[in-house]
Amino acid sequence: MPHILNKHIEISFLRGIGSTVLMVFFCLSQGFGQTKSQYLDEAYKAFDAKNYSAAVEYFANAYEFDTSDVELAYDFATSARHYESYRLADSLYASVIDRESDGEYPEATFWRGMMKQRLGDYVFSTQLFRIYISERDMDNPYLTRRAKKEIEAN
């Protein structure tokens, strides 16, 4: 009988160690992982310091937490634009335009037009500039004038 009891104690001990190891691993992984808020803090610091490559990286990490956050997508797109990552910026501005509900980001159409122009898609770029002018004519007089100039340049 002592032999069976020793086996039972040994199995219980190993189960205890296994669950302890898993618990320690979980706590460590949670303790060292950054939150969306932490990534955003770092992204805005990097952007303000004009370190756009770092800002893009931090925004990308934050965006993984919540791809439905329109404000985050807009700020991420703006960082990508400054970093001259035009394909990424174009994709993100498109996402913002598709998901904004009340026109909270009126400049997204203009900036997407600029990204399309930078990517060589002058026809679509012109269409976007025309949409911006027709929908947002007086929201930002500077961008309206610029959109008109970009249409002429295309």
Side-chain angles (χ1 to χ4, degrees):
M1 212 48 161
H3 186 0
I4 294 174
L5 185 57
N6 285 341
K7 287 276 189 203
H8 179 69
I9 291 171
E10 187 176 304
I11 291 171
S12 295
F13 177 75
L14 290 175
R15 283 185 185 153
I17 288 176
S19 62
T20 302
V21 168
L22 286 175
M23 181 63 81
V24 168
F25 177 76
F26 176 78
C27 290
L28 287 174
S29 68
Q30 295 301 311
F32 291 112
Q34 288 188 299
T35 65
K36 176 183 172 184
S37 177
Q38 290 169 321
Y39 281 122
L40 286 175
D41 288 344
E42 293 302 317
Y44 290 118
K45 285 179 193 173
F47 186 86
D48 290 343
K50 298 185 183 343
N51 184 352
Y52 302 120
S53 66
V56 165
E57 186 175 333
Y58 286 123
F59 276 122
N61 287 322
Y63 196 65
E64 287 180 18
F65 282 90
D66 185 5
T67 59
S68 67
D69 185 333
V70 179
E71 180 180 3
L72 171 55
Y74 185 81
D75 293 343
F76 186 9
T78 302
S79 292
R81 174 172 52 88
H82 283 284
Y83 186 55
E84 299 179 5
S85 182
Y86 300 135
R87 287 191 199 291
L88 175 60
D90 173 54
S91 172
L92 290 163
Y93 283 127
S95 174
V96 169
I97 293 164
D98 288 343
R99 292 186 285 152
E100 70 177 335
S101 56
D102 267 340
E104 307 100 322
Y105 303 94
E107 296 173 357
T109 302
F110 173 84
W111 290 117
R112 184 160 191 229
M114 291 299 295
M115 298 306 94
K116 286 298 186 187
Q117 187 183 61
R118 296 287 192 274
L119 294 168
D121 191 344
Y122 302 109
V123 173
F124 194 24
S125 173
T126 298
Q127 291 172 345
L128 288 165
F129 291 135
R130 286 189 174 135
I131 291 169
Y132 176 79
I133 292 167
S134 70
E135 293 179 354
R136 309 290 182 190
D137 188 26
M138 296 315 292
D139 286 356
N140 185 328
Y142 169 75
L143 289 184
T144 299
R145 284 191 309 276
R146 189 165 170 200
K148 289 175 181 178
K149 286 181 181 179
E150 298 301 334
I151 290 170
E152 291 173 17
N154 284 343

